[in-house]
Amino acid sequence: MTELSVSVFIFLTFIIFSCQGAYVLKDVDVVSVAGQPVRIFTRESMQSYDGSDENKPIYMGIKGVVFDVSTGKRFYGKGSPYNSLVGKDSTKGIAKMSLDEKDLTHDISDLNESDLKSLDETFEGTYMAKYPVVGYMDYFRDQHPEKFRNIKTEL
């Protein structure tokens, strides 16, 4: 290879990799069942679905979507390994595979590309595939009002 060929190769490689950009989190669709109102949860209303009341389902928020994880009670119920994830939106904890209290939040503004990709994979491959959606977090509705434009909601 000539010196010019090597320079062109290096330049083209730089262009290809610099144009790829950062990982973009996959979009979330809002699902409404046969015209039924979509339930909107606040941080406070989610707290009562943390597995401490045997008569209530166990709910967990990820990416603003609230899932009923009651069928996974042995993982998410009171005293179980992942109980700290439920009764709140734990998006960051899921992305980082962390049970640290500081990571049990929906704020993902400081996550890296690898964490975001992991979040999408876990969201789609585990939660969307395995657990029913029972509603959405209020912050998600507030950030994406266009997704709720023709959908009736209830708190």
Side-chain angles (χ1 to χ4, degrees):
M1 243 187 202
T2 67
E3 196 173 309
L4 179 59
S5 299
V6 171
S7 296
V8 169
F9 176 77
I10 291 171
F11 175 74
L12 290 175
T13 303
F14 171 76
I15 294 297
I16 289 169
F17 284 106
S18 64
C19 290
Q20 287 181 350
Y23 184 80
V24 177
L25 205 56
K26 290 181 184 172
D27 199 16
V28 171
D29 292 323
V30 173
V31 180
S32 176
V33 179
Q36 294 292 330
V38 170
R39 189 155 178 209
I40 303 297
F41 291 87
T42 64
R43 172 192 254 162
E44 293 76 26
S45 66
M46 276 291 284
Q47 291 173 353
S48 65
Y49 298 98
D50 66 354
S52 59
D53 184 342
E54 292 285 326
N55 298 313
K56 286 190 171 186
I58 304 169
Y59 291 169
M60 178 178 173
I62 306 169
K63 290 176 65 170
V65 179
V66 179
F67 296 94
D68 182 341
V69 296
S70 300
T71 58
K73 186 176 183 174
R74 68 177 194 202
F75 301 108
Y76 300 108
K78 185 174 180 171
S80 57
Y82 303 116
N83 179 254
S84 61
L85 294 169
V86 299
K88 61 180 71 87
D89 187 309
S90 298
T91 303
K92 186 174 186 177
I94 294 299
K96 294 179 73 175
M97 302 294 177
S98 169
L99 299 175
D100 249 347
E101 188 63 37
K102 68 177 176 42
D103 292 331
L104 302 181
T105 177
H106 71 273
D107 180 10
I108 57 170
S109 59
D110 62 342
L111 293 183
N112 63 40
E113 191 171 319
S114 175
D115 291 335
L116 294 174
K117 188 174 182 182
S118 173
L119 172 60
D120 273 340
E121 289 170 355
T122 305
F123 178 81
E124 291 291 330
T126 301
Y127 293 95
M128 288 299 289
K130 198 171 183 179
Y131 300 108
V133 173
V134 294
Y136 299 87
M137 296 299 298
D138 59 347
Y139 80 85
F140 180 77
R141 180 204 53 202
D142 296 346
Q143 288 175 352
H144 303 283
E146 74 283 357
K147 292 181 181 282
F148 294 86
R149 191 167 293 128
N150 297 317
I151 296 175
K152 191 188 229 183
T153 61
E154 70 178 33
L155 284 176

